């Protein structure tokens, strides 16, 4: 995570935005006491929205927790893909 001021961001906007896009970094632009702006890549934003959606219902949350537990316990399986000609 990077933190900068509005003035510094304005001076080097391209550099800051390139870092955010290339390194998946989050940038906080400080605007004074307890005020700021967060800049993140579109890919990171979409990932957060997908996670938020998947955790939006208790049923989905329990299903994901169950899958994570099975993965940790090694209770997984794999299948070969069927090639369609």
């Amino acid at each position: 995570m990077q933190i900068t001021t509005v003035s510094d961001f304005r001076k080097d906007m391209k550099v800051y935005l390139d870092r955010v896009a290339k390194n998946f970094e989050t940038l906080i632009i400080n605007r004074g006491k307890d005020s700021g702006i967060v800049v993140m890549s579109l890919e990171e934003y979409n990932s957060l929205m997908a996670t938020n959606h998947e955790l939006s219902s208790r049923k989905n949350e329990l299903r994901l927790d169950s899958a994570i537990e099975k993965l940790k316990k090694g209770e997984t399986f794999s299948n070969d893909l069927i090639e369609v000609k």
Side-chain angles (χ1 to χ4, degrees):
M1 176 182 352
Q2 298 179 73
I3 300 173
T4 190
T5 63
V6 173
S7 308
D8 288 342
F9 179 71
R10 202 178 292 133
K11 283 187 244 174
D12 292 322
M13 188 183 304
K14 183 181 180 336
V15 172
Y16 281 109
L17 294 177
D18 284 347
R19 281 189 207 149
V20 167
K22 290 178 185 173
N23 302 327
F24 303 105
E25 289 190 46
T26 302
L27 172 65
I28 296 175
I29 304 171
N30 190 346
R31 299 187 74 202
K33 185 179 180 185
D34 298 328
S35 178
I37 304 295
V38 176
V39 179
M40 67 177 68
S41 70
L42 180 59
E43 186 174 346
E44 186 174 353
Y45 173 80
N46 287 337
S47 176
L48 283 172
M49 291 299 104
T51 300
N52 187 49
H53 173 72
E54 291 183 8
L55 296 176
S56 64
S57 77
R58 185 71 179 139
K59 185 177 179 180
N60 279 352
E61 188 177 348
L62 292 172
R63 191 178 303 142
L64 286 170
D65 287 344
S66 172
I68 290 168
E69 282 304 312
K70 286 180 182 177
L71 196 68
K72 286 179 180 177
K73 292 177 182 175
E75 299 172 1
T76 61
F77 63 92
S78 64
N79 288 326
D80 293 329
L81 294 177
I82 299 171
E83 191 172 315
V84 178
K85 294 181 182 182

